[in-house]
Amino acid sequence: MTAGARPRTSPEIETLLLAKTDFQAFLDQLWQGGYRVIGPTIAQQAIVYDEVRRVEDFPRGWTDEQSGGQYRLKRRDDEAWFGFVVGPHSPKRYFFPPQVAVAQADRTATGWQFSEVPDQEPPYALLGVRACELAAIAVQDRTFINEQYVDPIYRRRRERALIVAVNCTQAASTCFCTSMNTGPRCTKGFDLALTELPDSFAVEVGSDRGADVLSTLTTTAASEVELQQAEVARQQAVDQITKRLDTKDIRDLLLGNLEHPRWDEVATRCLSCTNCTMVCPTCFCSSVKEVSDLTGDHVQREREWDTCFNWDFSYMNGGVVRNQIRSRYRQWLTHKLASWIDQFDVSGCVGCGRCITWCPVAIDLTEEVAAIRETPA
Amino acid sequence: MDVESVVYVLSKLRFSEPLPGSMLVRIAALAEMRGFPAHSILFRENADNDRLMIVAVGRVALDMQVPGRGEVRIMSVGPGDMLAWSALIGEGRMTTSAVALEDTQVVAIRARDALLLCESDPEFGYHLMRQVAQALANRLVATRLQLLDLFAESEPFIRQGPD
Amino acid sequence: MSVQASSAIAENPWLAQSVEIAAVTPELPGVATYHLRFRDAGLNARYRFRPGQFNMLYLPGVGESAISLSAANENSGTWDHTIRVAGNVTRTLAGLGVGGELALRGPYGTCWPLDECAGADVILVAGGIGLAPLRPAIHTCFAERKRFGRTTLLYGARSPDMLLYRRDYDAWTDRGLNLSATVDRSQPGWSGDVGVVPLLVDRLRPLTPANSVMFLCGPEVMMRYNVRSALERGLRRDQIWVSLERNMQCAVGLCGHCQLGPAFVCKDGPIFRYDKIERFLNVEGL
C-alpha cells in the first residue's frame, strides 16, 4: 500500500532521458513548486540526506565502501552522481521524524485545551531513493497508516511527498536486497525512477504525479542503445551482491528458537548501543515526553525515536522485563525478521545492510540467522 | 463410621483419590472419622500427635506461636488437604496448631500402624509416601508463593544500571 | 477534532479528551477509585467500554498512564478507574481531588469474552488490584444473569485490610456470586482462608470443567500457578483468559513498547486466551 504515488494504469512505461545539463532546472522547478528537496549530500565523511539546491550538492564522483562495522568514502575515477549505495540516513526521518510534537495542551481560564500541533513542513521531494528504501517506506506505511490507528503526521507527509528513486548501479558487501525481494531494481512505490548514464538519466514514470512533473521538463526519447546501457548499469548492482539471507521458514525458525544458545553468544558481542535501530529504515519505536514552558501553562507532547535496545525500554512495575542484552538483541532480531510478519504480513527487513555497516562490533544478522538455522532446537 | 464409609470418603478426597481401591480399604482399616466443631483445636504446636489427618469436610487454620507476635495464622486447609504429616514423617511433634474454622470432619489415620504397614508392604509404603510427598510438594509451592509476597507494594523504581 | 462514535479516541491518536474528577472513593492505602466525567456532556453520554478495556489517563506536563476501567456508573454518569500509586502520573493524580482536571483517551484493548460464554460457569480469579478490571465483568454477570451459569469469584490479597471492594462483597453474594477470599497474611479478626489463590482453584466445588471459563487478572506469577491449578482441575487452555501487563505508552500499537513476542499487549491484548499466548509467557525476559 503506497499512499501518495498513484500508479499509472498504462502498461507501457515509456522511458525518457533527462540530460544532466537539465537537472539543475529540475531542482529549481521543484523548489519553485513548493517542495523541500532532499537528496544525498556529504557531511561528516558520510553520505547523508539533506536539502539539495544545486547539482553541486550531490556527492558527484564519490562512492562508499561498506562492510561490517566499516564505512568509508572514496573518490571514484569517474564523476557519477549516484555512484554509491545507502548511508546512515533513510527516508524514515522525513515521514517519521526523529523528534516531533504530536499534541499540545494549553491551560486556559476554562481548563486545559488539547489540540494538535499543525505540521508546518512543506511537501518533500525525496531524490535518490533506492529500491530498498522504497520497500522500507512500504513497510512503514503498514505500521503508520493501518486501518485502525493512523499517524496523522506520517500520513500527511507521505501523501504530499514526491519520490524520485534512483536505481542502484552497484552494491556494497553489506547489501542483501535480493534475498528480501526488495531490489536492487525499483519496480514500484516511486513517482519517477532514474538510472544514471554518463550524460543523462533514463527516467521511468511510476505515477500520475510523476508524469506531471516530468512533463514540465525537457526530455528526449531514449534510444535502444541507451536503454541497453541503463539495463547493463542496473545489472551491475545485481551482480555485485554477495551477501545472502536464507528466509525460508524464518518466522518459525526464530520464534521456535527463543532459547537458542546463539542469543547468549551474540550478547557477548552486542553493546546494546542502539545504532542498528537508528539506521534501520523500518524501525518505528518511539516515546512521548512532556515538554512544558516555564509557566507550565503550555505543554507539548514530543515524540522521539526510541529503541528496544534501551535498557529501560521494557520497564514496568518496578522492573525491566528485558534486563539483559541477550533479551534485547533477541527482541530486535525476532521482531525484525519474524514477529513483524505476524504483525504486518511482511518482513521488517529490506536487506539494506545498514545495521551490519553501522554496528561497531560488526554483528551481521544474516550470520546470526544462519547460526541458528544450523543447529535449531 | 464403618470401614466402607471411610473408604467412600477417602475415594472422594484429592489426597487419596488417585490411590488403588485396595489401598483405600487398608488405610480405612487404620483410620476413623473424627469431628471437630468450629473453633475447636485439632492439635497443638509442639504437642505429640500420632494421627495423620485428611480433611473431609470443613476448614482448618494452621497457626504458629511467635514470641512477641502471638499466634500467627500461616495457612488454612480444606477438603482433601493433609494435616499433621509430622505424625507420619518425623517424630510426631506438631509444627503448627490446628483450629477448626467451621464444623470439620477429618479422616484420622493411626500413624504408627500405617508405618508398620509401609515397612511390611513396600508397595503400600511407596504409594502412601508418594501421596504424602505430592501433598507436601504442593504445600511447599503454595508456601513459596506466599513468601514471594506478590501483592506487596512495588518498590519505587531505582535504576540499577545496565548489565 | 472528530471522535469515534462511542469512544474518546480522536482521529489523531495522540489527542485526549478533557475529563474532570467527579468523585474520589478511597479504597485502600495508596489505592483510590476516581470517578471521571467527560467535560463534553455529549461524549459522556455516548462513551462505552467493554469489561477489561483500559483508558490512557493524561496529566499535562506529567505524562500518561494506562488504567483499566473498573466500573461504569450509570447513576452518576461517571467512568470509574481504580488506581494504585505506582509512578509519577499516578502520584500526581493522587494529589488531585474532586474537580481536578485531566484528560483521557480510550477505550483500548481486548475485553473479557463474555459474549462468547453464554451458558458457561464463569470463574473469575483475581489477585490484589487485579480485581479492578474484573469488576465490570462481575457487573455484567449480574446484569445479564440468565445468560450465564454459576458465577464465582476467587480473590486473594496480601492481608484482610487489603481486600479490594470489600464493602461490595455482601451485595455480590446476595446477588448470587459465589465468593471465596483468601489472604497471604492473616490479621486478628479474620476467619477466612489464608494462603495463595491457586489453593482456592484447587478446592473449588462444585466444578464442571467442560462448561467453565476462567478469567484471570493479577501478578503474572500468581496467574501462572492459577492456570496450573485450573489445568489440573480439568479446564483446557482455550477456556482460560488472562489479562497481561506490559509497558503501555501509546496504546495504539505505534510506539512498540508493549510487545510480547508478536503480540502488542495494547491492541492484541491485554486480555489473551491462554493457549494463544502461553509459549511467549513462558520465555524468560521476552
Side-chain angles (χ1 to χ4, degrees), chain A residues 107-137:
Chain A
R107 206 200 309 258
T108 70
T110 52
W112 284 101
Q113 296 295 324
F114 303 101
S115 56
E116 290 191 299
V117 177
D119 183 26
Q120 310 280 31
E121 283 291 294
Y124 297 112
L126 301 180
L127 298 190
V129 181
R130 303 310 174 101
C132 57
E133 298 180 309
L134 294 174
I137 292 170

Side-chain angles (χ1 to χ4, degrees), chain C residues 226-245:
Chain C
N226 278 316
V227 169
R228 203 213 234 187
S229 292
L231 296 175
E232 267 167 31
R233 294 301 308 276
L235 267 79
R236 293 186 321 263
R237 285 164 170 79
D238 62 357
Q239 291 170 278
I240 300 170
W241 279 262
V242 293
S243 181
L244 298 183
E245 219 185 315

Side-chain angles (χ1 to χ4, degrees), chain C residues 130 138 161 265:
Chain C
I138 297 175
D161 61 346
V265 175

Side-chain angles (χ1 to χ4, degrees), chain C residues 133-199:
Chain C
L134 277 170
R135 186 150 157 256
I138 297 175
H139 294 160
T140 300
C141 287
F142 291 152
E144 302 173 35
R145 196 80 193 79
K146 295 198 173 59
R147 282 188 60 226
F148 305 105
R150 273 192 307 271
T151 42
T152 304
L153 172 64
L154 306 177
Y155 177 53
R158 189 170 199 259
S159 50
D161 61 346
M162 297 298 284
L163 290 165
L164 190 56
Y165 310 132
R166 196 164 174 190
R167 66 185 121 62
D168 290 346
Y169 295 178
D170 285 342
W172 289 353
T173 48
D174 285 347
R175 295 188 74 171
L177 181 72
N178 300 303
L179 194 158
S180 286
T182 186
V183 294
D184 278 2
R185 269 139 230 259
S186 188
Q187 275 158 346
W190 175 253
S191 59
D193 282 312
V194 179
V196 292
V197 179
L199 296 176

